[in-house]
Amino acid sequence: MVRKLEVAAVRRTVFNEDHEAFRETLRAFIEAEVVPVYDEWFAAGQAPRDFYYKLAELGVFGIRVDEEFGGAGIDSYKFEAVMYEETARAGVQFGGSGVHVLLGLPYIKMLATDEQKKRFLPKFVSGEEMWALAMTEPGTGSDLAGMKTTAKLSEDGTHYVLNGSKTFITGGVHADRVIVCARTSAPTADDRRFGISLFAVDTKSEGYSIGRKLDKLGLKTSDTAELAFVDVKVPVEDLLGEENKGFYYLGHNLASERWGIAFGAYAQAKAAVRFAKEYVQDRTVFGKTVASFQNTKFELAACQAEVDAAEAVADRALEALDAGELTPAEAASAKLFCTEVAHRVIDRCLQLHGGYGFMNEYPIARLYADNRVNRIYGGTSEIMKSIIAKDMGL
C-alpha cells in the first residue's frame, strides 16, 4: 500500500514542537472548559468574566510579557496563531479576550513607562485587569482623525478631563482598563491627524459609563459595548506615550491587528472545510452520501485550494510580524486576501450543509455570522485596497 503523504503537515514550517505542545494543551482546555458551556455563552451574549481567569491560569495572557512581570517572555505571535486555529477548529470564541492580548498588549509594551509597566502588566497577566481599545466613535467610523472625544489638561496639571463617546468597543463590558483615544489638541491646518493622545483609563472612574451591550450579527460571545465619558478625571500618570502622537501609535500597531484578523479569517476558512467535509460524509440523500456527488467533491476541492493559498499568505505575514518587518501594506494585503477567501469558502461550505447550514446549532452557521465582520473591522476591505494602491504608487 502506498502511504499517503500529509503535504500540509510536512511542508508547513511556521510552528515548532513547542507550538504543537501548546496546541495539544489548548485543544484539551477548549474541550473541557469551553465546548460544554458554549451554548450558554452564546445565549447570554458574552463569556463570563471568571473564564478570563482560567485563560490567565493557562498562561495565554503572559506569553509575550517579560518574565519580570509574570509572563513567559516569548517575543512571538505564533502561540496566538495557534489559538486562532484551535478556537476556529472547535467552532468557539474566547469571548472578548482577544483584544486584551492582540490590541492592548502592544500599546503597553511600546508606550508604557517602567512605572506604568510595573502597575499594569502583573494584573494584565493574571486577568485581574482586562484591557480593551476604544478608537471608533458613532459618527466617524474609519476616519479616526475625525474623532470628537476630548481630554483637556486640568489647570493644576494633575489630570486630564475626558469627555466624549465610543462605539463598537470589543471587550468593553468586562474591561477594567480601556485605552481611549482622545483629542488633546486641535488638528493643524496641514495635519488633521495631529492632536490625538492615548490614555489607559480605569473603568471604575467617576463619569465613565457603559451604554448598550450591542446586539451583533455574529461574535455573539464577545462583549461589545458603547462607552461614554462625562468629565472623567484621568491622572497624568495614565497617559500612554507622548501627547498628540496617538495617531502615529495607532498606525504603528495596526499592522499586528490586521495580521490577527487575516490569520483568524484563514483559520475560520480552514475550519469551515473541516465542518463541511464531516457533514457531507455523514449526510445521506437519495440513498448516497452527499460526499459521493461530484459537485460536492469539486466544491470542497476548490475551497481547499483557496485555504491552502490563504494559509501561505497568513504564515508569511506571521513570520514577517515576528521579525518586526511586517509593513502596513503587507498587513493590508494579507487582511484583504484572507478575509475575502474566508468569505467565499465559508459561504460555499454552508451551502453544502443545505438547510441545516442555516441553523445556529451547527458551527458553520455561527462561523458564517462571525466571519462577516472581518471585512469591516480593523479597516474595511476598501481601506485595505487604498493602502495597497498607495504602496503601489497609484
Side-chain angles (χ1 to χ4, degrees):
M1 179 181 291
V2 178
R3 179 176 174 269
K4 292 180 66 176
L5 180 66
E6 294 182 5
V7 176
V10 173
R11 292 184 180 172
R12 197 178 188 198
T13 59
V14 69
F15 299 125
N16 62 28
E17 292 181 359
D18 291 338
H19 302 123
E20 296 307 328
F22 176 67
R23 184 189 303 279
E24 193 173 313
T25 299
L26 186 63
R27 188 173 296 183
F29 173 84
I30 291 171
E31 289 299 321
E33 300 289 345
V34 182
V35 172
V37 294
Y38 196 70
D39 285 346
E40 297 174 20
W41 297 4
F42 190 85
Q46 63 185 32
R49 177 63 175 83
D50 61 4
F51 171 68
Y52 299 147
Y53 289 110
K54 294 181 180 180
L55 285 177
E57 290 173 8
L58 193 64
V60 301
F61 294 159
I63 292 171
R64 290 191 289 111
V65 175
D66 290 343
E67 293 182 36
E68 64 179 297
F69 303 116
I74 301 173
D75 189 19
S76 172
Y77 284 81
K78 291 183 179 180
F79 291 93
E80 286 169 53
V82 171
M83 282 189 276
Y84 282 121
E85 291 186 334
E86 289 304 306
T87 51
R89 179 185 181 276
V92 301
Q93 298 276 339
F94 280 171
S97 64
V99 300
H100 180 66
V101 176
L102 185 65
L103 302 189
L105 185 57
Y107 288 98
I108 302 173
K109 292 182 68 173
M110 180 175 72
L111 302 176
T113 63
D114 290 341
E115 183 276 330
Q116 287 175 326
K117 288 179 179 178
K118 290 176 183 178
R119 275 196 294 133
F120 296 151
L121 286 175
K123 293 179 181 180
F124 181 100
V125 172
S126 69
E128 183 179 344
E129 280 192 352
M130 296 299 295
W131 287 61
L133 176 63
M135 293 190 289
T136 307
E137 296 186 359
T140 60
S142 297
D143 181 20
L144 298 179
M147 68 178 61
K148 305 298 183 184
T149 297
T150 60
K152 296 183 178 180
L153 188 63
S154 62
E155 291 185 2
D156 61 7
T158 61
H159 63 273
Y160 292 85
V161 180
L162 182 67
N163 283 283
S165 62
K166 301 290 181 178
T167 192
F168 306 146
I169 308 307
T170 304
V173 175
H174 285 319
D176 303 287
R177 285 267 178 185
V178 176
I179 299 173
V180 177
C181 312
R183 282 210 163 273
T184 43
S185 298
T188 63
D190 58 349
D191 187 4
R192 59 192 297 267
R193 300 174 178 181
F194 174 82
I196 294 171
S197 302
L198 308 184
F199 300 89
V201 179
D202 185 340
T203 63
K204 297 185 295 295
S205 302
E206 184 178 352
Y208 180 105
S209 63
I210 300 171
R212 293 184 301 149
K213 185 180 76 171
L214 300 174
D215 184 17
K216 308 183 298 297
L217 170 67
L219 301 178
K220 289 290 189 178
T221 64
S222 172
D223 55 301
T224 305
E226 295 174 330
L227 306 179
F229 322 112
V230 179
D231 294 334
V232 176
K233 292 183 179 179
V234 183
V236 293
E237 293 81 10
D238 289 344
L239 171 70
L240 285 175
E242 297 182 37
E243 259 194 16
N244 303 323
K245 292 188 176 181
F247 199 97
Y248 164 76
Y249 301 142
L250 293 172
H252 182 274
N253 283 336
L254 275 174
S256 61
E257 178 183 353
R258 286 167 179 165
W259 163 80
I261 297 170
F263 205 96
Y266 139 71
Q268 289 176 326
K270 183 177 181 179
V273 172
R274 174 174 175 263
F275 296 146
K277 180 182 174 182
E278 291 176 351
Y279 178 81
V280 298
Q281 287 176 326
D282 290 338
R283 175 71 167 157
T284 301
V285 294
F286 307 118
K288 301 168 62 177
T289 64
V290 176
S292 67
F293 291 92
Q294 186 182 64
N295 179 69
T296 303
K297 296 176 183 179
F298 282 5
E299 283 294 285
L300 283 177
C303 287
Q304 183 62 53
E306 291 219 71
V307 169
D308 288 344
E311 180 180 86
V313 170
D315 284 356
R316 185 182 69 176
L318 172 56
E319 294 285 21
L321 180 63
D322 266 12
E325 299 172 353
L326 184 65
T327 68
E330 289 170 337
S333 179
K335 180 182 184 295
L336 177 65
F337 182 77
C338 291
T339 57
E340 294 292 341
V341 164
H343 161 64
R344 293 191 297 270
V345 167
I346 295 170
D347 184 75
R348 294 168 84 170
C349 288
L350 187 150
Q351 187 74 14
L352 289 172
H353 282 70
Y356 289 104
F358 203 63
M359 301 296 111
N360 274 327
E361 64 185 277
Y362 282 79
I364 192 68
R366 298 180 183 184
L367 194 59
Y368 183 87
D370 291 347
N371 168 75
R372 186 58 186 88
V373 75
N374 289 334
R375 291 180 289 149
I376 299 174
Y377 67 2
T380 64
S381 290
E382 291 74 22
I383 294 293
M384 299 304 100
K385 292 174 184 176
S386 296
I387 294 170
I388 298 165
K390 183 177 181 181
D391 186 67
M392 295 170 65
L394 300 174

